[in-house]
Amino acid sequence: MKFKILVADDEKNIREGLASALEMDGYEVYTASNGDEASVFINNNDIDLVITDLRMPKMSGNDLLKHISSSFPTIPVIILTGHGTIESAVEAMRDGAFDFITKPVNLDRLSLLVKRALSNRELVLKHRMLEEEVEKLGRANKYSKMIGKSSQMRKIFDVIQQVASTKASVLITGESGVGKELVADALHNLSNRKDSPFVKVHCAALTESLLESELFGHEKGSFTGAISDKKGRFELANKGSIFLDEIGEINQSVQIKILRVLQEREFERVGGEKTVSVDVRVIAATNKDLKKEIEGGNFREDLFYRLNVVNIHVPPLRERREDISLLVTSFISEFSDENGKKIEGIDSKAMSALYNYSWPGNIRELRNCIESAVVMCRSDFIGIDDLPPSVAESTEGDFIRIKPGSSMSEVERLVILETLKRENGNKSKTAKILNMGRKTLYQKLSEYGIE
Ligand SMILES: Nc1ncnc2c1ncn2[C@@H]1O[C@H](COP(=O)(O)OP(=O)(O)OP(=O)(O)O)[C@@H](O)[C@H]1O
Ligand SMILES: [Mg+2]
């Protein structure tokens, strides 16, 4: 694509001189001899950049600049100023000019300035396009704050639509920070239970005995401190949904009680005789491998099958990097608003670092990273220096540097170490990727002293 530039100056020599220089740089150039002519031209044509003199007949450069800033804020304007009228240039910068250049024009400097202005404009346009996409997504599913366009996420949106209105229990699995809670929110908000309570229980945050009375309630005097009857979360969620977060952390006796709720829709309060029946849709989440917990005797198999009627697995961010640009755009808008900043986008180097980083903390980590970048950022664009060092270092992709002349065992050690890191310490995955047996991997790990 050829960028289109408009040069406005009342002096014929200057405007034609600049035009031919810019044409040699490969741009499509138009000219106008006064502000009025320029403004009409801009109103009727798609222009990427305007270079304008300040003092011109009919409409001055200042007024032209003001018109562009208010009606076409993404078009950068470069100001030409005559002999030492630096004050008017400063004023123009305040009115939104991209930069100024003094006459006689140094063509090399102009060429650089134009390049910089246009690359900024490209970033702005890219950011705007992504913003529109985010907005469209938001409008398309207004019950969910989930953003994503990868095939994996689209499949998840489909499953949510399909099962939300059913009563089937759903088990949401995935690493920490992938968005399991947002999936749970969407399931409730899209169901016909959406106007009834949605009760969330963070199972890992409560001690065993507290969890039981939290979930099922207790009768007055059932234990010291139980000074009155108390309804449990299952009762509070009646007619609605309950979200059991970190279900992998609960002990056997609570597991049995939950199993009974799932099978018979009833239970007794702690210390109570009366049977309580409830109508509750159960959604659970875990970042543990429950199959492994079953093998290890920590989790009941029958409960697993009752919870896992529908499984929604949310893949880690590094397996769906197509979602990164949309997420980044949405987080930039969110945190710019929150911090009263006007960030126009992110430059390509910073974007490439975000794209290449492995995101062990998934979307939560990406969100925090963008929040701090927005706060740190001192220009209109987030740059590589605004990112935390660990992220900024990943511009080159996941490559290992190997010095020629290294021993084979050193190379092996590095490959194992870096793969293990990338897979977050998952040894069976690492062994599979490196095509070696688990036993061999363990031997090598101890041989190389890798923890
Ligand atoms: N697809 C998404 N679009 C926008 N924001 C997301 C998305 N997925 C996750 N987030 C955001 O990332 C953060 C972490 O998400 P969430 O709490 O749902 O993760 P989680 O899987 O429940 O993590 P954990 O296992 O640690 O509880 C939240 O701030 C959430 O809003
Ligand atoms: Mg969570």
Side-chain angles (χ1 to χ4, degrees):
M1 182 186 99
K2 251 187 172 183
F3 282 115
K4 294 185 189 135
I5 300 178
L6 176 69
V7 178
D9 198 309
D10 53 340
E11 277 177 69
K12 188 160 181 263
N13 290 340
I14 294 188
R15 90 176 163 256
E16 288 183 353
L18 294 183
S20 63
L22 290 166
E23 268 165 6
M24 297 237 281
D25 281 347
Y27 303 114
E28 204 171 310
V29 187
Y30 301 88
T31 56
S33 60
N34 62 55
D36 216 20
E37 206 183 306
S39 130
V40 170
F41 191 84
I42 294 164
N43 291 342
N44 296 308
N45 296 278
D46 283 331
I47 287 292
D48 296 298
L49 169 73
V50 175
I51 301 173
T52 178
D53 187 20
L54 280 180
R55 252 172 286 160
M56 290 185 294
K58 297 203 182 156
M59 186 194 249
S60 76
N62 294 90
D63 289 339
L64 177 62
L65 171 64
K66 278 181 197 144
H67 169 64
I68 296 173
S69 296
S70 65
S71 305
F72 306 96
T74 63
I75 302 181
V77 178
I78 294 174
I79 300 289
L80 298 167
T81 65
H83 30 113
T85 48
I86 213 81
E87 286 113 66
S88 43
V90 170
E91 191 188 325
M93 294 294 289
R94 240 194 333 258
D95 286 339
F98 177 76
D99 210 333
F100 63 90
I101 189 161
T102 46
K103 294 188 208 173
V105 175
N106 173 334
L107 289 179
D108 287 337
R109 186 171 135 67
L110 180 70
S111 172
L112 267 179
L113 212 54
V114 165
K115 220 188 213 162
R116 201 151 54 81
L118 287 173
S119 88
N120 268 5
R121 173 165 162 80
E122 239 185 333
L123 291 178
V124 171
L125 292 181
K126 215 185 275 167
H127 188 68
R128 295 267 155 112
M129 234 164 62
L130 285 165
E131 268 179 345
E132 263 167 42
E133 222 174 305
V134 168
E135 220 169 89
K136 235 187 261 160
L137 264 178
R139 255 179 284 131
N141 48 27
K142 50 182 181 320
Y143 294 107
S144 157
K145 280 181 275 175
M146 251 185 297
I147 286 167
K149 60 175 170 183
S150 59
S151 59
Q152 294 100 312
M153 283 311 284
R154 269 191 255 149
K155 221 175 271 165
I156 289 177
F157 294 145
D158 281 352
V159 175
I160 291 174
Q161 293 277 355
Q162 221 178 332
V163 303
S165 57
T166 71
K167 211 178 158 182
S169 306
V170 180
L171 179 65
I172 308 164
T173 53
E175 287 177 14
S176 181
V178 288
K180 296 187 292 296
E181 189 161 347
L182 286 190
V183 173
D185 289 340
L187 281 170
H188 177 76
N189 292 334
L190 282 166
S191 74
N192 41 24
R193 297 170 175 260
K194 68 174 185 298
D195 298 320
S196 302
F198 184 34
V199 175
K200 296 182 178 183
V201 189
H202 191 38
C203 299
L206 300 163
T207 61
E208 285 178 15
S209 52
L210 261 181
L211 179 62
E212 187 168 350
S213 88
E214 257 320 294
L215 285 175
F216 304 103
H218 59 244
E219 229 111 276
K220 183 175 169 177
S222 55
F223 54 87
T224 14
I227 42 175
S228 60
D229 292 358
K230 187 180 168 214
K231 274 190 184 174
R233 306 282 185 101
F234 270 104
E235 275 181 87
L236 295 173
N238 195 21
K239 303 267 181 261
S241 322
I242 193 166
F243 178 47
L244 304 173
D245 200 2
E246 307 218 23
I247 190 85
E249 305 295 327
I250 60 176
N251 71 344
Q252 294 281 346
S253 78
V254 177
Q255 285 180 30
I256 294 173
K257 274 191 119 163
I258 293 179
L259 179 64
R260 187 161 156 236
V261 178
L262 285 168
Q263 281 172 338
E264 289 148 31
R265 307 280 156 195
E266 58 186 36
F267 59 88
E268 284 90 36
R269 289 178 176 173
V270 175
E273 309 267 285
K274 208 173 81 210
T275 299
V276 183
S277 331
V278 282
D279 166 23
V280 174
R281 203 274 176 83
V282 177
I283 304 168
T286 181
N287 50 30
K288 279 195 169 168
D289 181 352
L290 286 188
K291 289 254 172 70
K292 223 185 256 163
E293 296 300 310
I294 294 169
E295 274 171 35
N298 301 319
F299 204 85
R300 293 182 65 101
E301 192 170 16
D302 46 7
L303 177 58
F304 172 74
Y305 285 112
R306 285 283 173 176
L307 290 170
N308 197 40
V309 176
V310 175
N311 173 240
I312 297 182
H313 179 71
V314 189
L317 189 55
R318 65 183 169 282
E319 287 175 15
R320 48 181 167 110
R321 295 184 200 257
E322 310 95 280
D323 291 336
I324 291 177
S325 59
L326 276 189
L327 287 164
V328 167
T329 306
S330 141
F331 295 150
I332 290 178
S333 309
E334 179 183 345
F335 292 116
S336 297
D337 288 351
E338 208 176 289
N339 292 287
K341 287 199 162 182
K342 205 172 155 289
I343 306 242
E344 299 274 12
I346 175 161
D347 74 23
S348 22
K349 208 164 161 202
M351 193 61 216
S352 128
L354 295 177
Y355 195 83
N356 284 314
Y357 183 59
S358 60
W359 301 111
N362 292 297
I363 300 179
R364 181 177 294 117
E365 187 183 9
L366 176 63
R367 202 178 129 91
N368 292 342
C369 169
I370 298 300
E371 179 173 17
S372 93
V374 167
V375 171
M376 300 293 289
C377 183
R378 273 186 273 164
S379 73
D380 295 345
F381 299 92
I382 290 175
I384 191 97
D385 296 336
D386 302 322
L387 303 177
S390 54
V391 179
E393 276 159 18
S394 41
T395 40
E396 317 227 320
D398 292 341
F399 295 111
I400 307 175
R401 280 178 175 281
I402 294 171
K403 277 204 207 100
S406 308
S407 66
M408 287 315 285
S409 60
E410 174 57 13
V411 174
E412 188 174 67
R413 191 188 73 84
L414 266 176
V415 173
I416 292 175
L417 182 67
E418 292 304 316
T419 310
L420 199 58
K421 265 197 223 160
R422 195 189 67 185
E423 297 309 317
N424 296 318
N426 186 329
K427 290 180 189 134
S428 33
K429 239 178 161 176
T430 301
K432 214 186 251 168
I433 291 167
L434 296 178
N435 201 15
M436 59 170 66
R438 267 175 64 97
K439 256 204 182 134
T440 319
L441 179 67
Y442 277 102
Q443 271 167 11
K444 304 261 177 205
L445 290 177
S446 78
E447 190 181 318
Y448 296 133
I450 300 172
E451 285 289 293

